[in-house]
Amino acid sequence: MKFYTFCLLVALTTFGWLAVEVQAQTYTNFTTIDEPLAEAGSLYGTYVEGISGNVVVGYYYNSQGRHGFYHTLGTTNYTTLDVPAGTSSTSFSTAAYGISGNNIVGWYSATNFTGTYGFIYNIGTGAYATLDDPAGVEEGVSSTEAYGIDGNNVVGSESDNSLPAGSVFGFLCTPAAGQPGVYSFASFYIPIPYRINVSEFSTTNYITLPYGISGDNVVGMARDTDGYSHGFAYNLNTTSLTLLTNSDGGFLWPYGIDGNNVVGYFSDPNNDYNDSGFLCAIGSTNLTTLRDPLGVGGTFAQGISGNAIVGYYRDTSGAPHGFVVGMPTVSISPPVISAFSLAGEEYTLSGTNGVPGAPYAILATTNVALPLNEWTIVDTNSFDGNGAFTFSSAVDPAAPQMFYRLQESQ
């Protein structure tokens, strides 16, 4: 794990502009993702924001408010994430944006609506931890929003009280060495000449919004003096910066990154300047357009993992729906019973390799030669966040010898 010691970046080793050119669309196998608890309508719907392996994260709206969620592709398993501190008696306010392994990050609004707080959630343990940047305070209101995670490194934005109102800084958050549950923050912004926005009130505002991180590379958005947004790719190690712009005009926002590949959305001149998703590689001038066929109101690519890209589109009514295009690059091993233990008058079976949250069944028989449909189901449950399971039962000395099998349920 790397730790970066910068605090406020005021100099860049290298800086350049990269004008990308729109290429023909190559992705066609879009699959819609709709969280079952999301309600219909332009005010509700499902937003998919990140992916790691075959697990996607995002948030959805219904009459109770906004809820984060994670979902295992290829299954019907959706798990709602409501940060306890982000709920009240009448509404919920949690949004999940990034995932890396078992860790999910996002942000929530406090119960008393005094600001926003980042969070990190571990699928395996089910534990939430708040990420609150000490610098992210504006007029007494906390403001920390986590968007991307890679390993233990988290990026996001905060409104820094050391600058005029309206300024937004990026941050890099890492675990504090030797202090479990404690995180350190380093703020940074893009202080490029002519990349400082002057508002209508003649105050100088700094706008830097990091959305994704992969290794040393961070992608996001910075705003210029005319109020236009420009995507950027920034290397934390070399402090080199590239601003990304569409050669045909219009804005371009990068949101997700995996290795050297970046996804986001842009104002598409070939689609009446409606929003289209894109895929490009850092350093390349070629931009591949991503348009979900159902996305009449726009396609927004938000996350990438290997060959799979996720995001959301808006239908004819403006309602959002999540999507995945491409295939997750994950090795698929069947779940197995891996251990047996005996303690007192109880025995326990345990196993691994299940899909997190997916249902399973334990089957038993006294005759191992029987066809599977004649075995008896003795237990049903769901794999935990790590794809593991345990099954325990009392020992009956008078019972005949038993054989067990593990079966994934539909």
Side-chain angles (χ1 to χ4, degrees):
M1 178 177 62
K2 291 187 177 181
F3 290 90
Y4 301 93
T5 58
F6 65 84
C7 181
L8 195 64
L9 297 180
V10 294
L12 300 170
T13 303
T14 59
F15 161 64
W17 284 89
L18 184 63
V20 295
E21 298 178 359
V22 177
Q23 305 295 305
Q25 179 178 350
T26 58
Y27 284 78
T28 58
N29 57 328
F30 287 81
T31 299
T32 295
I33 299 173
D34 278 325
E35 219 287 352
L37 297 178
E39 295 179 11
S42 59
L43 297 179
Y44 300 114
T46 302
Y47 297 81
V48 176
E49 300 287 342
I51 179 172
S52 178
N54 64 340
V55 180
V56 302
V57 299
Y59 56 97
Y60 66 93
Y61 284 94
N62 58 25
S63 58
Q64 293 180 308
R66 181 184 63 195
H67 314 260
F69 75 89
Y70 67 91
H71 163 59
T72 303
L73 295 173
T75 75
T76 58
N77 299 300
Y78 290 79
T79 300
T80 292
L81 300 174
D82 283 323
V83 177
T87 62
S88 68
S89 60
T90 58
S91 66
F92 298 84
S93 185
T94 300
Y97 276 89
I99 178 171
S100 179
N102 270 349
N103 290 319
I104 297 172
V105 296
W107 56 275
Y108 65 94
S109 297
T111 303
N112 55 3
F113 301 103
T114 57
T116 57
Y117 301 85
F119 74 84
I120 184 167
Y121 172 83
N122 186 279
I123 295 175
T125 64
Y128 292 93
T130 292
L131 303 175
D132 190 11
D133 188 344
V137 179
E138 182 180 4
E139 297 179 356
V141 175
S142 182
S143 177
T144 303
E145 299 177 359
Y147 290 108
I149 180 172
D150 183 36
N152 290 310
N153 296 322
V154 180
V155 293
S157 65
E158 45 94 345
S159 297
D160 197 309
N161 62 357
S162 66
L163 292 175
S167 297
V168 179
F169 270 19
F171 69 75
L172 173 72
C173 172
T174 56
Q179 303 178 62
V182 179
Y183 299 86
S184 61
F185 289 82
S187 300
F188 67 95
Y189 69 101
I190 308 296
I192 313 161
Y194 312 113
R195 299 280 76 78
I196 298 173
N197 179 52
V198 179
S199 76
E200 58 184 305
F201 303 107
S202 298
T203 59
T204 301
N205 299 330
Y206 300 82
I207 307 295
T208 301
L209 297 171
Y211 291 118
I213 180 172
S214 180
D216 290 329
N217 290 317
V218 176
V219 295
M221 182 277 290
R223 189 168 296 167
D224 68 18
T225 52
D226 297 317
Y228 289 110
S229 300
H230 301 277
F232 70 79
Y234 180 80
N235 187 283
L236 295 165
N237 186 39
T238 64
T239 67
S240 60
L241 173 79
T242 300
L243 288 185
L244 306 174
T245 184
N246 184 357
S247 60
D248 291 322
F251 67 82
L252 184 151
W253 281 21
Y255 266 83
I257 180 172
D258 184 24
N260 205 42
N261 292 319
V262 179
V263 296
Y265 63 88
F266 70 107
S267 178
D268 188 352
N270 296 318
N271 191 29
D272 295 327
Y273 285 93
N274 290 324
D275 296 316
S276 292
F278 74 80
L279 166 68
C280 71
I282 294 177
S284 172
T285 59
N286 295 327
L287 180 149
T288 299
T289 302
L290 304 170
R291 293 196 206 113
D292 192 306
L294 300 176
V296 177
T299 300
F300 307 83
Q302 303 291 98
I304 180 172
S305 178
N307 294 321
I309 298 170
V310 297
Y312 63 93
Y313 66 87
R314 293 191 180 275
D315 62 21
T316 52
S317 70
H321 306 265
F323 74 78
V324 59
V325 60
M327 296 298 295
T329 53
V330 294
S331 59
I332 301 176
S333 300
V336 295
I337 298 174
S338 57
F340 171 84
S341 61
L342 180 64
E345 298 181 352
E346 185 176 77
Y347 67 90
T348 299
L349 301 175
S350 59
T352 59
N353 288 349
V355 175
Y360 68 84
I362 302 292
L363 284 65
T365 183
T366 57
N367 182 2
V368 72
L370 284 177
L372 188 61
N373 61 357
E374 296 184 25
W375 289 49
T376 301
I377 296 176
V378 296
D379 184 54
T380 58
N381 210 320
S382 297
F383 294 105
D384 67 17
N386 294 313
F389 81 94
T390 58
F391 164 69
S392 299
S393 183
V395 174
D396 182 1
Q401 176 177 271
M402 297 291 290
F403 299 90
Y404 294 89
R405 296 186 69 165
L406 174 65
Q407 183 182 61
E408 293 179 287
S409 303
Q410 299 299 320

